[in-house]
Amino acid sequence: MDIPAIGDAEELSCDVLVIGGGTAGTMAALTAAERGARVLLLEKAHVRHSGALAMGMDGVNNAVVPGRAEPDDYVAEITRANDGVVDQSTVRQTATRGFAMVQRLESYGVKFEKDEHGEYAVRQVHRSGSYVLPMPEGKDVKKVLYRQLRRREMRERIRIENRVMPVRVLTSPEDGRAIGAAAFNTRTGAFVTVRAGAVVLATGPCGRLGLPASGYLYGTYENPTNAGDGYAMAYHAGAALTGIECFQINPLIKDYNGPACAYVANPFGGYQVNRHGERFVDSDYWSGQMMAEFAAELASDRGPVYLKLSHLPEESVASLESILHTTERPTRGTFHAGRGHDYRTHDIEMHISEIGLCGGHSASGVRVDDHARTTVPRLYAAGDLASVPHNYMIGAFVFGDLAGGDAARYAAYEGTLPADQLAAAHELIYRPLRNPDGPPQPQVEYKLRRFVNDYVAPPKTGAKLSLAVAAFDRMTGEIAEMGARTAHELMRCAEVSFIRDCAEMAARSSLARTESRWGLYHERLDHPERDDTGWLYHLDLRKSASGAMEFTARPVEPYLVPVDGFAPAGGPARHLGEVDLVPVATAGPREAAPAARAQTAPTTGGPEGPEGSEGSAAVPAHGSASSPRILELLVLAEESPDLDALTPYLADPDPAVRAAAVAALGETVPPGAGPALAARLADAAPVVRAAAAAALRELVEVLPGGPELGAGLRAALAVPDPAVRSAALEALRALRLGDVQAYAASLADADPEVRIHAVRALVSVDAVPELAAAAADPAREVRVAVAKGLASVHAPAPGPLDPLLVDADPLVRGAALGALASVGCPDGYARTAVAALADAAWQVRAGAAAGLSAAAPETAVPALAKALADANADVRKAAVLALLAHRDAPQARAALATAVSDPDADVRAYAGRAA
């Protein structure tokens, strides 16, 4: 298929955009419409049978039915199950609103099991509390909901677009709020843009993260269409995600990857046993500790593990068959029959599922408050995507309802959708079409998810997780090379990019939490103990301004319902920044430490002698091995010290200590690091100044700009060291802390490299008159930078290039002529460029050809056609590229046709694009 132009996108508009037509998304759409909003529901499959709910549901795991359970008891249960790391205000929403949701669903036609008196037949499965409400006919839940969506009054307010897959949430450049989405049609490939007043993400978990034991990509425990779409979209929109290190891992049927359904079997008398028929699960069924016990039993000589049903009476087995073979997995009966197994004679062998991310069954998801609001204004998350621990189906409905109700307050966005975000989404979607013979999606996805199994699945270690991060970084390039030919393949390729994002989140989050918690969900062999003092915190991750993944330890708020064993105190968050990778050895341990390289002492010295001069070459780059202060500093740096702790080392008399302190400052980046680094740019020792300059360059995208940092950088412009002045100019420009006056003053600097940085800084503030004045600079490289800079300002014009077009140096003239391609090439300049095609220097001829791409065709095309015979291949290539800009002209197409047989491969390739 062809790549559609961005300008040809189908644009849709709504008040509330709901992404995902499963459990939470359907409820969000219904509630928003009932509140009067115009709703658009996007589903990459078809709403009638999309989402995990479409397979059916055998029961409600967390029904708080009055008289059978109390909301506070439920909140306490979930708090204990999640080892204390919960926002009880969100859990309490499910506890208090869940029963009304059961009644609402029942009014829609969903059937729940009742006893003979018409009371809900709630069962006890967990160690305390009766929360399980069976649904013998749960296979029809989605059908019932779809029926509600298609009611006439709902059809008037809810527009459903099936086979449309969003890839990015669009946000306002002004205030960062959600304003729509970029998507494409999974059948036609058409590009789709949506403007909305609010966006609800309801895309389900990332079930396609780990690789099933079968190796089959889609044989996952969770719905395999849930590839982490919402996690990636929320992350790239700037929302905080939390608990991503808390994986979802489930017991399942061996080789079938369907749930063993203890929630259904236990009320009938089924239970888990080892090969000796012994029960072994001590902890509760909805905790990660249960999975740790399960894994330990499976790995011991007491394994395998089974779900025992063979002891049950016929009526119980028949009832179980009627539920399990028609609801959760309709193929389940076929699977057992194919093996000759019967519940009456065979117990069911169990195993452990692949890892996944899921808020509804563990805790990993998008951070939300008690109204489903994310940290991005007007962006909501609900269902398994939202981090409301152990929320299950009823919680998904509750938070879908909350999201839809709150989002209904907003009207459609009427501004211009951000072009840069649309372009990035367009590139993500259609990139595989440019490389149709590239690696196919199944192969790339298999490799990616095998790395997840190898390095991310628990038990975890820092070394394995660091290898995982490196592998996922490498795979960014491999994913970019994937090939596709159809819209369906584009969908699968986009899903792989989402899986990769989730895999990196999982690995980095697991590295950041340096403790073990949640049993098997986050078992760190190198940090085996739970640390409530240091880690009774939510671990939030978000995308920084520089595009890096950064972390914050957010304290658990004081509980609404007290729970023994946990006492969160609240307090300030702890910003962690980017997580450090663990060094991984590539060879075995050495028998002895390598000997230090001998230092060569200078033969002569100044008045202070060779050892007394701080600028001496004898000072090692990373500090003096003889200084105990270096060792103190290295120990201190491991604890992420604040600036006050590092300040004494930054003022140490030994320059090696000061340099090491600067390196520690650059690694830990405590508040105030920017001004402190700027102050070290004036250090008396070159080694310290060099370390400070390097740290500023490395951190410039993450340091907060402020008056103190700006003053320090401007002061550094007077430091005698030219490397310092260059670094200061670079930081001032990047942080937008400089001004025209400061930059223009640096054009008089004695060092050409500093003047080049001044030119770049002046371009950043569109200072054309000051740039034009630099056209007389004595250094050729500066004048070349000026020519390129004049082409890069926001309102370029050819006039300031005049002195450069007649410069004595051919490289300068070539750069100035090439700049005409950006600034414009009106008639007089076009004649100059045509004449320059005869210049003796090939650089001038290439620049002239490039500049003619912006000239009138009647002038440019004949001259460029002649340039196709130039002896220099680079000139011919420039001429071909310029002719492509004039391809509407018949003479240009004719000229390009001759170039397809050029002896140079680049020339032929570019000429071939005209076809």
Side-chain angles (χ1 to χ4, degrees), residues 426-478:
H426 189 274
E427 172 67 11
L428 171 65
I429 295 166
Y430 299 107
R431 177 177 57 198
L433 293 178
R434 292 200 295 272
N435 187 31
D437 295 320
Q441 163 263 332
Q443 293 181 14
V444 177
E445 183 176 332
Y446 183 93
K447 180 178 180 181
L448 170 64
R449 292 168 64 190
R450 183 176 59 80
F451 282 139
V452 170
N453 281 19
D454 289 347
Y455 298 129
V456 184
K460 312 172 188 179
T461 68
K464 290 200 299 182
L465 293 167
S466 298
L467 287 171
V469 171
F472 303 148
D473 284 344
R474 285 197 310 271
M475 288 211 66
T476 301
E478 298 179 39

Short mmCIF file of all heavy atoms in Angstrom, two decimals, residues 426-478:
data_model
loop_
_atom_site.label_atom_id
_atom_site.label_comp_id
_atom_site.label_asym_id
_atom_site.label_seq_id
_atom_site.Cartn_x
_atom_site.Cartn_y
_atom_site.Cartn_z
N HIS A 426 2.71 9.76 12.43
CA HIS A 426 2.67 9.29 11.04
C HIS A 426 3.91 8.45 10.73
O HIS A 426 3.82 7.39 10.09
CB HIS A 426 2.59 10.52 10.12
CG HIS A 426 2.34 10.20 8.68
ND1 HIS A 426 3.35 9.91 7.80
CD2 HIS A 426 1.18 10.13 7.96
CE1 HIS A 426 2.84 9.68 6.60
NE2 HIS A 426 1.53 9.80 6.67
N GLU A 427 5.07 8.90 11.20
CA GLU A 427 6.30 8.15 10.98
C GLU A 427 6.25 6.80 11.68
O GLU A 427 6.65 5.78 11.11
CB GLU A 427 7.49 8.97 11.49
CG GLU A 427 8.83 8.24 11.50
CD GLU A 427 9.34 7.91 10.11
OE1 GLU A 427 8.77 8.41 9.13
OE2 GLU A 427 10.32 7.14 10.01
N LEU A 428 5.76 6.77 12.91
CA LEU A 428 5.66 5.51 13.64
C LEU A 428 4.78 4.51 12.91
O LEU A 428 5.10 3.33 12.81
CB LEU A 428 5.09 5.78 15.04
CG LEU A 428 4.71 4.54 15.87
CD1 LEU A 428 5.94 3.73 16.20
CD2 LEU A 428 3.99 4.96 17.15
N ILE A 429 3.67 4.99 12.36
CA ILE A 429 2.71 4.09 11.71
C ILE A 429 3.25 3.55 10.40
O ILE A 429 3.25 2.33 10.16
CB ILE A 429 1.38 4.83 11.46
CG1 ILE A 429 0.70 5.20 12.77
CG2 ILE A 429 0.44 3.96 10.61
CD1 ILE A 429 -0.43 6.20 12.60
N TYR A 430 3.74 4.43 9.54
CA TYR A 430 3.98 4.05 8.15
C TYR A 430 5.43 3.74 7.82
O TYR A 430 5.73 3.35 6.68
CB TYR A 430 3.47 5.16 7.22
CG TYR A 430 1.99 5.39 7.37
CD1 TYR A 430 1.50 6.54 8.01
CD2 TYR A 430 1.08 4.45 6.95
CE1 TYR A 430 0.14 6.74 8.18
CE2 TYR A 430 -0.29 4.63 7.12
CZ TYR A 430 -0.75 5.77 7.72
OH TYR A 430 -2.09 5.97 7.90
N ARG A 431 6.32 3.89 8.77
CA ARG A 431 7.73 3.59 8.53
C ARG A 431 7.96 2.21 7.92
O ARG A 431 8.77 2.05 7.00
CB ARG A 431 8.49 3.74 9.86
CG ARG A 431 9.96 3.41 9.83
CD ARG A 431 10.56 3.69 11.21
NE ARG A 431 9.87 2.92 12.24
CZ ARG A 431 9.94 3.20 13.54
NH1 ARG A 431 10.63 4.25 13.96
NH2 ARG A 431 9.30 2.45 14.42
N PRO A 432 7.27 1.14 8.38
CA PRO A 432 7.54 -0.19 7.80
C PRO A 432 7.24 -0.29 6.32
O PRO A 432 7.78 -1.18 5.64
CB PRO A 432 6.63 -1.11 8.62
CG PRO A 432 6.41 -0.38 9.91
CD PRO A 432 6.35 1.05 9.52
N LEU A 433 6.37 0.57 5.77
CA LEU A 433 6.05 0.48 4.35
C LEU A 433 7.22 0.90 3.47
O LEU A 433 7.29 0.50 2.30
CB LEU A 433 4.83 1.36 4.03
CG LEU A 433 3.49 0.92 4.63
CD1 LEU A 433 2.41 1.91 4.26
CD2 LEU A 433 3.12 -0.48 4.16
N ARG A 434 8.13 1.71 4.04
CA ARG A 434 9.29 2.13 3.25
C ARG A 434 10.33 1.03 3.16
O ARG A 434 11.30 1.16 2.42
CB ARG A 434 9.90 3.39 3.87
CG ARG A 434 9.02 4.62 3.75
CD ARG A 434 9.85 5.89 3.92
NE ARG A 434 10.40 6.00 5.26
CZ ARG A 434 9.76 6.57 6.28
NH1 ARG A 434 8.56 7.09 6.10
NH2 ARG A 434 10.32 6.65 7.47
N ASN A 435 10.14 -0.02 3.93
CA ASN A 435 11.11 -1.11 3.94
C ASN A 435 10.36 -2.44 3.91
O ASN A 435 10.45 -3.24 4.83
CB ASN A 435 11.97 -1.00 5.22
CG ASN A 435 13.12 -1.98 5.23
OD1 ASN A 435 13.66 -2.33 4.18
ND2 ASN A 435 13.50 -2.43 6.41
N PRO A 436 9.58 -2.68 2.84
CA PRO A 436 8.69 -3.86 2.84
C PRO A 436 9.42 -5.18 2.97
O PRO A 436 8.83 -6.16 3.41
CB PRO A 436 7.95 -3.74 1.50
CG PRO A 436 8.83 -2.88 0.65
CD PRO A 436 9.50 -1.91 1.58
N ASP A 437 10.69 -5.23 2.58
CA ASP A 437 11.44 -6.48 2.67
C ASP A 437 12.26 -6.57 3.94
O ASP A 437 13.11 -7.44 4.08
CB ASP A 437 12.36 -6.62 1.45
CG ASP A 437 11.56 -6.75 0.16
OD1 ASP A 437 10.53 -7.45 0.16
OD2 ASP A 437 11.98 -6.14 -0.84
N GLY A 438 12.02 -5.65 4.88
CA GLY A 438 12.72 -5.69 6.15
C GLY A 438 12.29 -6.87 7.00
O GLY A 438 11.38 -7.63 6.63
N PRO A 439 12.91 -7.05 8.15
CA PRO A 439 12.55 -8.18 9.02
C PRO A 439 11.06 -8.17 9.35
O PRO A 439 10.51 -7.13 9.71
CB PRO A 439 13.39 -7.93 10.28
CG PRO A 439 14.51 -7.07 9.84
CD PRO A 439 13.97 -6.21 8.74
N PRO A 440 10.39 -9.29 9.23
CA PRO A 440 8.94 -9.32 9.51
C PRO A 440 8.67 -9.20 11.00
O PRO A 440 9.46 -9.61 11.84
CB PRO A 440 8.51 -10.67 8.96
CG PRO A 440 9.74 -11.51 8.96
CD PRO A 440 10.89 -10.58 8.72
N GLN A 441 7.52 -8.65 11.30
CA GLN A 441 7.12 -8.39 12.69
C GLN A 441 7.21 -9.63 13.58
O GLN A 441 7.70 -9.54 14.72
CB GLN A 441 5.72 -7.78 12.71
CG GLN A 441 5.02 -7.83 14.07
CD GLN A 441 4.08 -9.01 14.19
OE1 GLN A 441 3.55 -9.48 13.18
NE2 GLN A 441 3.87 -9.52 15.39
N PRO A 442 6.74 -10.83 13.16
CA PRO A 442 6.80 -11.97 14.09
C PRO A 442 8.22 -12.29 14.55
O PRO A 442 8.43 -12.63 15.71
CB PRO A 442 6.19 -13.12 13.27
CG PRO A 442 5.30 -12.45 12.28
CD PRO A 442 6.01 -11.18 11.92
N GLN A 443 9.19 -12.15 13.64
CA GLN A 443 10.57 -12.46 14.02
C GLN A 443 11.11 -11.44 15.01
O GLN A 443 11.75 -11.79 16.01
CB GLN A 443 11.46 -12.52 12.77
CG GLN A 443 11.15 -13.66 11.84
CD GLN A 443 12.07 -13.69 10.63
OE1 GLN A 443 13.10 -13.02 10.60
NE2 GLN A 443 11.70 -14.46 9.62
N VAL A 444 10.87 -10.17 14.74
CA VAL A 444 11.36 -9.12 15.63
C VAL A 444 10.68 -9.22 16.99
O VAL A 444 11.33 -9.10 18.04
CB VAL A 444 11.15 -7.73 14.99
CG1 VAL A 444 11.60 -6.63 15.95
CG2 VAL A 444 11.89 -7.63 13.67
N GLU A 445 9.36 -9.44 16.98
CA GLU A 445 8.64 -9.54 18.25
C GLU A 445 9.10 -10.75 19.05
O GLU A 445 9.24 -10.67 20.28
CB GLU A 445 7.14 -9.61 18.00
CG GLU A 445 6.33 -9.64 19.30
CD GLU A 445 4.84 -9.61 19.07
OE1 GLU A 445 4.40 -9.07 18.03
OE2 GLU A 445 4.10 -10.14 19.93
N TYR A 446 9.32 -11.85 18.39
CA TYR A 446 9.79 -13.05 19.11
C TYR A 446 11.12 -12.76 19.81
O TYR A 446 11.31 -13.09 20.99
CB TYR A 446 9.96 -14.22 18.14
CG TYR A 446 10.38 -15.50 18.82
CD1 TYR A 446 9.43 -16.43 19.24
CD2 TYR A 446 11.72 -15.78 19.07
CE1 TYR A 446 9.81 -17.61 19.88
CE2 TYR A 446 12.11 -16.95 19.71
CZ TYR A 446 11.15 -17.86 20.11
OH TYR A 446 11.52 -19.01 20.76
N LYS A 447 12.04 -12.12 19.10
CA LYS A 447 13.34 -11.82 19.69
C LYS A 447 13.18 -10.87 20.88
O LYS A 447 13.79 -11.09 21.93
CB LYS A 447 14.23 -11.19 18.63
CG LYS A 447 15.63 -10.81 19.12
CD LYS A 447 16.45 -10.24 17.98
CE LYS A 447 17.85 -9.87 18.46
NZ LYS A 447 18.66 -9.30 17.35
N LEU A 448 12.37 -9.85 20.72
CA LEU A 448 12.15 -8.88 21.79
C LEU A 448 11.60 -9.57 23.04
O LEU A 448 12.10 -9.36 24.16
CB LEU A 448 11.19 -7.80 21.30
CG LEU A 448 10.63 -6.82 22.34
CD1 LEU A 448 11.75 -5.98 22.93
CD2 LEU A 448 9.56 -5.93 21.70
N ARG A 449 10.59 -10.37 22.87
CA ARG A 449 9.94 -10.99 24.03
C ARG A 449 10.79 -12.13 24.61
O ARG A 449 10.65 -12.45 25.80
CB ARG A 449 8.55 -11.45 23.64
CG ARG A 449 7.62 -10.26 23.35
CD ARG A 449 6.34 -10.65 22.69
NE ARG A 449 5.53 -11.49 23.56
CZ ARG A 449 4.45 -12.13 23.17
NH1 ARG A 449 4.03 -12.02 21.91
NH2 ARG A 449 3.77 -12.88 24.01
N ARG A 450 11.67 -12.70 23.79
CA ARG A 450 12.61 -13.67 24.36
C ARG A 450 13.58 -12.97 25.31
O ARG A 450 13.92 -13.50 26.37
CB ARG A 450 13.38 -14.39 23.25
CG ARG A 450 14.33 -15.46 23.78
CD ARG A 450 15.00 -16.21 22.66
NE ARG A 450 15.78 -15.35 21.80
CZ ARG A 450 17.01 -14.89 22.09
NH1 ARG A 450 17.58 -15.22 23.24
NH2 ARG A 450 17.66 -14.13 21.25
N PHE A 451 14.00 -11.75 24.96
CA PHE A 451 14.84 -10.99 25.87
C PHE A 451 14.09 -10.68 27.17
O PHE A 451 14.68 -10.66 28.25
CB PHE A 451 15.28 -9.68 25.22
CG PHE A 451 16.40 -9.82 24.24
CD1 PHE A 451 16.39 -9.10 23.04
CD2 PHE A 451 17.47 -10.66 24.49
CE1 PHE A 451 17.42 -9.23 22.12
CE2 PHE A 451 18.50 -10.79 23.58
CZ PHE A 451 18.49 -10.08 22.40
N VAL A 452 12.79 -10.41 27.06
CA VAL A 452 11.99 -10.17 28.26
C VAL A 452 12.06 -11.40 29.17
O VAL A 452 12.27 -11.29 30.38
CB VAL A 452 10.54 -9.84 27.90
CG1 VAL A 452 9.65 -9.82 29.14
CG2 VAL A 452 10.46 -8.50 27.18
N ASN A 453 11.86 -12.58 28.59
CA ASN A 453 11.93 -13.80 29.39
C ASN A 453 13.32 -14.01 29.98
O ASN A 453 13.48 -14.42 31.13
CB ASN A 453 11.55 -15.01 28.54
CG ASN A 453 10.05 -15.15 28.35
OD1 ASN A 453 9.31 -14.19 28.54
ND2 ASN A 453 9.61 -16.32 27.96
N ASP A 454 14.35 -13.76 29.16
CA ASP A 454 15.73 -14.04 29.59
C ASP A 454 16.18 -13.13 30.72
O ASP A 454 16.88 -13.56 31.64
CB ASP A 454 16.69 -13.89 28.41
CG ASP A 454 16.54 -15.00 27.39
OD1 ASP A 454 15.89 -16.01 27.71
OD2 ASP A 454 17.09 -14.87 26.28
N TYR A 455 15.81 -11.84 30.65
CA TYR A 455 16.45 -10.86 31.51
C TYR A 455 15.50 -10.11 32.47
O TYR A 455 15.97 -9.48 33.40
CB TYR A 455 17.19 -9.82 30.67
CG TYR A 455 18.29 -10.38 29.83
CD1 TYR A 455 18.37 -10.11 28.47
CD2 TYR A 455 19.27 -11.19 30.39
CE1 TYR A 455 19.39 -10.63 27.69
CE2 TYR A 455 20.30 -11.70 29.63
CZ TYR A 455 20.36 -11.43 28.27
OH TYR A 455 21.37 -11.93 27.52
N VAL A 456 14.19 -10.12 32.20
CA VAL A 456 13.28 -9.31 33.00
C VAL A 456 12.41 -10.15 33.92
O VAL A 456 12.05 -9.72 35.01
CB VAL A 456 12.40 -8.42 32.09
CG1 VAL A 456 11.52 -7.49 32.92
CG2 VAL A 456 13.26 -7.59 31.15
N ALA A 457 12.04 -11.34 33.47
CA ALA A 457 11.16 -12.19 34.28
C ALA A 457 11.83 -12.53 35.61
O ALA A 457 13.04 -12.76 35.67
CB ALA A 457 10.82 -13.47 33.52
N PRO A 458 11.07 -12.56 36.71
CA PRO A 458 11.66 -12.87 38.01
C PRO A 458 12.05 -14.34 38.10
O PRO A 458 11.51 -15.17 37.35
CB PRO A 458 10.54 -12.51 38.99
CG PRO A 458 9.28 -12.61 38.19
CD PRO A 458 9.65 -12.22 36.79
N PRO A 459 12.99 -14.63 39.03
CA PRO A 459 13.63 -13.70 39.95
C PRO A 459 14.58 -12.75 39.23
O PRO A 459 15.27 -13.15 38.28
CB PRO A 459 14.37 -14.61 40.93
CG PRO A 459 14.62 -15.87 40.17
CD PRO A 459 13.44 -16.03 39.26
N LYS A 460 14.62 -11.50 39.69
CA LYS A 460 15.34 -10.44 38.99
C LYS A 460 16.69 -10.18 39.65
O LYS A 460 16.86 -10.39 40.85
CB LYS A 460 14.52 -9.15 39.01
CG LYS A 460 13.06 -9.30 38.60
CD LYS A 460 12.28 -8.01 38.84
CE LYS A 460 10.79 -8.18 38.62
NZ LYS A 460 10.02 -6.94 38.88
N THR A 461 17.62 -9.69 38.87
CA THR A 461 18.89 -9.18 39.39
C THR A 461 19.23 -7.90 38.65
O THR A 461 18.80 -7.70 37.50
CB THR A 461 20.06 -10.18 39.21
OG1 THR A 461 20.36 -10.29 37.81
CG2 THR A 461 19.72 -11.54 39.78
N GLY A 462 20.03 -7.04 39.28
CA GLY A 462 20.43 -5.82 38.63
C GLY A 462 21.21 -6.07 37.36
O GLY A 462 21.07 -5.34 36.37
N ALA A 463 22.04 -7.11 37.36
CA ALA A 463 22.84 -7.40 36.17
C ALA A 463 21.94 -7.80 34.99
O ALA A 463 22.11 -7.30 33.87
CB ALA A 463 23.84 -8.50 36.48
N LYS A 464 21.00 -8.71 35.25
CA LYS A 464 20.12 -9.14 34.15
C LYS A 464 19.25 -8.00 33.66
O LYS A 464 19.03 -7.83 32.45
CB LYS A 464 19.25 -10.31 34.61
CG LYS A 464 20.00 -11.61 34.80
CD LYS A 464 19.09 -12.82 34.76
CE LYS A 464 18.05 -12.79 35.86
NZ LYS A 464 17.19 -14.00 35.86
N LEU A 465 18.75 -7.19 34.57
CA LEU A 465 17.90 -6.07 34.16
C LEU A 465 18.70 -5.05 33.36
O LEU A 465 18.17 -4.44 32.41
CB LEU A 465 17.29 -5.42 35.39
CG LEU A 465 16.28 -6.28 36.16
CD1 LEU A 465 15.98 -5.67 37.53
CD2 LEU A 465 14.98 -6.44 35.37
N SER A 466 19.96 -4.86 33.70
CA SER A 466 20.80 -3.94 32.93
C SER A 466 21.07 -4.48 31.53
O SER A 466 21.08 -3.72 30.55
CB SER A 466 22.12 -3.70 33.67
OG SER A 466 21.89 -3.09 34.93
N LEU A 467 21.27 -5.78 31.43
CA LEU A 467 21.40 -6.38 30.11
C LEU A 467 20.12 -6.21 29.31
O LEU A 467 20.15 -6.00 28.09
CB LEU A 467 21.74 -7.87 30.24
CG LEU A 467 23.17 -8.21 30.69
CD1 LEU A 467 23.28 -9.69 31.00
CD2 LEU A 467 24.18 -7.82 29.62
N ALA A 468 18.99 -6.29 29.99
CA ALA A 468 17.71 -6.10 29.31
C ALA A 468 17.61 -4.70 28.72
O ALA A 468 17.20 -4.52 27.57
CB ALA A 468 16.55 -6.35 30.29
N VAL A 469 17.97 -3.69 29.51
CA VAL A 469 17.90 -2.31 29.01
C VAL A 469 18.78 -2.16 27.78
O VAL A 469 18.37 -1.54 26.78
CB VAL A 469 18.32 -1.32 30.12
CG1 VAL A 469 18.47 0.08 29.56
CG2 VAL A 469 17.30 -1.33 31.25
N ALA A 470 19.98 -2.71 27.83
CA ALA A 470 20.87 -2.62 26.67
C ALA A 470 20.26 -3.32 25.45
O ALA A 470 20.34 -2.82 24.32
CB ALA A 470 22.23 -3.23 27.01
N ALA A 471 19.64 -4.46 25.68
CA ALA A 471 19.03 -5.19 24.57
C ALA A 471 17.86 -4.42 23.97
O ALA A 471 17.70 -4.34 22.75
CB ALA A 471 18.55 -6.57 25.06
N PHE A 472 17.04 -3.82 24.83
CA PHE A 472 15.90 -3.07 24.32
C PHE A 472 16.35 -1.80 23.61
O PHE A 472 15.70 -1.37 22.63
CB PHE A 472 14.94 -2.73 25.46
CG PHE A 472 14.44 -3.93 26.20
CD1 PHE A 472 14.15 -3.87 27.56
CD2 PHE A 472 14.25 -5.15 25.55
CE1 PHE A 472 13.69 -4.99 28.25
CE2 PHE A 472 13.80 -6.28 26.23
CZ PHE A 472 13.52 -6.19 27.58
N ASP A 473 17.44 -1.18 24.07
CA ASP A 473 17.99 -0.03 23.35
C ASP A 473 18.43 -0.44 21.95
O ASP A 473 18.17 0.25 20.96
CB ASP A 473 19.18 0.56 24.11
CG ASP A 473 18.74 1.38 25.31
OD1 ASP A 473 17.54 1.74 25.38
OD2 ASP A 473 19.59 1.66 26.17
N ARG A 474 19.12 -1.58 21.85
CA ARG A 474 19.56 -2.07 20.54
C ARG A 474 18.37 -2.34 19.65
O ARG A 474 18.40 -2.06 18.45
CB ARG A 474 20.37 -3.35 20.69
CG ARG A 474 21.77 -3.20 21.20
CD ARG A 474 22.60 -4.45 20.91
NE ARG A 474 21.95 -5.67 21.31
CZ ARG A 474 22.07 -6.22 22.52
NH1 ARG A 474 22.78 -5.63 23.44
NH2 ARG A 474 21.45 -7.36 22.80
N MET A 475 17.32 -2.89 20.22
CA MET A 475 16.19 -3.31 19.41
C MET A 475 15.37 -2.14 18.88
O MET A 475 14.53 -2.32 18.00
CB MET A 475 15.31 -4.28 20.19
CG MET A 475 15.96 -5.64 20.36
SD MET A 475 14.77 -6.99 20.43
CE MET A 475 14.07 -6.99 18.80
N THR A 476 15.62 -0.94 19.41
CA THR A 476 14.96 0.23 18.84
C THR A 476 15.29 0.34 17.35
O THR A 476 14.41 0.61 16.52
CB THR A 476 15.41 1.50 19.57
OG1 THR A 476 15.09 1.37 20.96
CG2 THR A 476 14.72 2.73 19.01
N GLY A 477 16.55 0.12 17.01
CA GLY A 477 16.94 0.16 15.60
C GLY A 477 16.36 -0.98 14.81
O GLY A 477 15.95 -0.81 13.65
N GLU A 478 16.31 -2.17 15.38
CA GLU A 478 15.75 -3.31 14.66
C GLU A 478 14.26 -3.14 14.41
O GLU A 478 13.75 -3.52 13.36
CB GLU A 478 16.03 -4.59 15.44
CG GLU A 478 17.51 -4.88 15.61
CD GLU A 478 17.77 -6.14 16.41
OE1 GLU A 478 17.03 -7.11 16.21
OE2 GLU A 478 18.71 -6.14 17.21
#
